Amino acid sequence: MAARRERAVRAAVERGLLGPDQPVVGLLDVAGIRSTAAGLRAAFEEVVAPGTPILHAFAVKAAALVPVLRLLADEGLGCEVASPGELALARAAGVTPDRIVLDSPAKTAAELREALDLGIAVNADNPQELDRLDALVGHRAAPPPPLGLRVNPQVGGGSIDALSTATATSKFGVALQDPGAREWVVRAFTERPWLTRLHAHVGSQGCPLELMAAGIRAAYELAEEINGAVGRQQIDALDIGGGLPVNFTSDEITPGYREYAQLLRATVPGLFDGRYKLVTEFGRSLLAKSGLVLARVEYAKSAGGRPIAVTHAGAQLATRTVFAPDAWPLRVLAYDAQGRPKAETGDGPVPQDIAGPCCFAGDLVARDRRLPELAAGDVVALLDTGAYYFSNHFAYNSLPRPGIYGFDATSADGDVRFATVREPQTVDEIVVESGAKHALGLSRLR
Ligand SMILES: Cc1ncc(COP(=O)(O)O)c(C=O)c1O
């Protein structure tokens, strides 16, 4: 991974993907993505009864980029979508409806109707959404696509509150341990023969594997109870969500899918005995370690004795890192202006701030970080940024979305090939999306 990365950084600088006019880019390691996807498939194939259908639906929110969805589809993955935009991206990538799952806490009636018309599986979030599905299913001649209900097993949260979805008061799903909720869920299934799935996503980064497994065990036990009450295998698929955390401190991939799949088998053996189809929804763990942001150091300055490298990667790209630095620390590597690892001077690494281009003081992606002292024209790399960085742009200061390029650095002759994933956004595009055609709209109002 590191060797491919070094070659790609050098080549990106040499070919001008990064330079004075394009001072920030995102790179994606295609070999890394392919091997991670293959690792996911293999890990679950090892634990399921032979022939068990499994859909690994990539959580599009983690990298909402059509070529990425297409690459993952080539590797046998589908898509989990949570908005009309994400659904449109999955379809633009050629992912077929039977390989798409729609989850979101706020689906409109029109979105639900579209999903049913297209044949896309839906996980309802709450009783009111189930009422909407009742109306839609009742009016259809054809059988609906797979429909399920999301439950919140309320097993607790992880170290990042904002990403813990199985807390007592989480906004997601039906809170299973609330008074009367379990009985309501069992009844909801017995009254609806077409409701055939249960869904639980316990949380994302920061959730221990044991907590995730406990939540999935709760969903499995509920499915068994419902099937027992109905007297047949009405629930025939369990959607276990995503959430495998990513190690942001080294190149090591830990925990891995295998560890998680083995833990699930030990915690919920019945889940894998072939009676249930499985759906997974991993996002971050599939892409994070295969992506990096490269940014030029525009200026190197000093304040109060602290060296500061002012770069072009800040809150617009690394929003969570800037606003919640303790929860989302990033590794930073230093390169020279030719894209070669920056050598340390005799005094060793220098504690310095790595700042972004946004106009607020807290726009720092790393504080007091020990690195070879950076100079204007150098390059910094923000590692492990393949998920939730490229597609979660924050339009502060009208900074453009950077270009994203995939690379193949596996060739024996050392050549690195690049493919465009997304063009850099232009200033003209920013002007258009900022209301340019309505320029006089407010002035004409009294
Ligand atoms: C319902 C659902 N599934 C899957 C995911 C993906 O989680 P992760 O990227 O942590 O694997 C999320 C993340 O928010 C989610 O809300």
Side-chain angles (χ1 to χ4, degrees), residues 90-110:
R91 297 185 71 206
V95 179
T96 51
D98 58 313
R99 303 188 62 75
I100 301 177
V101 179
L102 172 65
D103 295 323
S104 106
K107 307 173 202 79
T108 64

Side-chain angles (χ1 to χ4, degrees), residues 60-65 317 387-393 401 404 422:
V60 171
K61 59 182 82 68
L65 297 161
L317 264 166
Y388 297 102
Y389 283 84
F390 299 160
S391 60
N392 298 28
H393 190 76
R401 286 185 285 270
I404 311 287
R422 180 182 73 196

Side-chain angles (χ1 to χ4, degrees), residues 55-435:
L55 172 64
H56 294 295
F58 171 66
V60 171
K61 59 182 82 68
L65 297 161
V66 172
V68 169
L69 306 183
R70 184 62 247 162
L71 176 67
L72 291 172
D74 295 345
E75 290 298 323
L77 273 62
C79 287
E80 184 261 352
V81 300
S83 71
E86 290 183 358
L87 172 57
L89 297 185
R91 297 185 71 206
V95 179
T96 51
D98 58 313
R99 303 188 62 75
I100 301 177
V101 179
L102 172 65
D103 295 323
S104 106
K107 307 173 202 79
T108 64
E111 285 171 46
L112 291 169
R113 190 174 316 108
E114 183 190 22
L116 264 62
D117 288 347
L118 290 170
I120 286 165
V122 177
N123 289 316
D125 179 82
N126 58 63
Q128 290 166 19
E129 193 166 287
L130 216 44
D131 290 344
R132 286 185 172 175
L133 286 177
D134 280 339
L136 289 169
V137 170
H139 283 99
R140 297 167 59 86
L147 301 175
L149 180 68
R150 178 166 182 172
V151 290
N152 169 8
Q154 292 171 299
V155 287
S159 60
I160 305 177
D161 288 348
L163 271 66
S164 296
T165 45
T167 57
T169 56
S170 159
K171 74 174 182 181
F172 291 102
V174 177
L176 205 49
Q177 296 184 40
D178 281 9
R182 194 175 185 93
E183 297 71 23
W184 178 85
V185 172
V186 175
R187 218 173 36 251
F189 274 85
T190 51
E191 288 167 357
R192 295 173 178 83
W194 43 264
L195 200 56
T196 57
R197 289 186 173 186
L198 265 184
H199 173 221
H201 169 74
V202 170
S204 292
Q205 188 72 16
C207 287
L209 300 193
E210 292 72 20
L211 184 76
M212 294 178 6
I216 291 160
R217 187 185 165 98
Y220 165 80
E221 285 169 351
L222 177 62
E224 292 283 277
E225 182 181 334
I226 291 168
N227 286 342
V230 182
R232 70 182 176 95
Q233 180 90 21
Q234 177 172 324
I235 297 181
D236 63 1
L238 284 165
D239 181 336
I240 65 172
L244 190 76
V246 164
N247 162 28
F248 284 96
T249 61
S250 77
D251 278 341
E252 218 184 314
I253 297 175
T254 174
Y257 291 119
R258 191 157 187 274
E259 183 181 342
Y260 184 41
Q262 301 285 339
L263 175 72
L264 284 175
R265 182 166 64 178
T267 314
V268 206
L271 183 61
F272 300 109
D273 64 14
R275 288 174 301 137
Y276 292 99
K277 296 177 216 160
L278 292 179
V279 179
T280 74
E281 303 171 347
F282 295 101
R284 180 174 290 101
S285 53
L286 274 161
L287 259 291
K289 297 205 89 64
S290 295
L292 66 152
V293 171
L294 293 184
R296 263 171 65 91
V297 177
E298 194 65 52
Y299 301 110
K301 56 195 282 190
S302 160
R306 168 86 52 95
I308 304 166
V310 181
T311 80
H312 287 273
Q316 90 276 26
L317 264 166
T319 318
R320 284 176 173 167
T321 298
V322 167
F323 287 109
D326 295 336
W328 301 101
L330 283 176
R331 290 187 289 154
V332 180
L333 294 182
Y335 296 87
D336 66 16
Q338 280 73 47
R340 297 172 302 207
K342 177 119 178 154
E344 277 171 19
T345 57
D347 301 337
V350 176
Q352 54 202 300
D353 284 356
I354 312 300
C358 299
C359 290
F360 63 94
D363 186 33
L364 303 171
V365 293
R367 293 161 197 251
D368 218 6
R369 187 69 62 89
R370 294 173 70 79
L371 286 169
E373 187 162 8
L374 288 157
D378 285 347
V379 172
V380 292
L382 312 185
L383 305 191
D384 310 320
T385 44
Y388 297 102
Y389 283 84
F390 299 160
S391 60
N392 298 28
H393 190 76
F394 174 44
Y396 196 85
N397 284 144
S398 298
L399 286 162
R401 286 185 285 270
I404 311 287
Y405 303 90
F407 66 85
D408 172 14
T410 58
S411 140
D413 65 5
D415 185 36
V416 180
R417 292 186 307 139
F418 289 97
T420 301
V421 173
R422 180 182 73 196
E423 311 268 358
Q425 191 178 30
T426 65
V427 169
D428 286 348
E429 286 164 347
I430 293 175
V431 172
V432 168
E433 74 176 32
S434 303

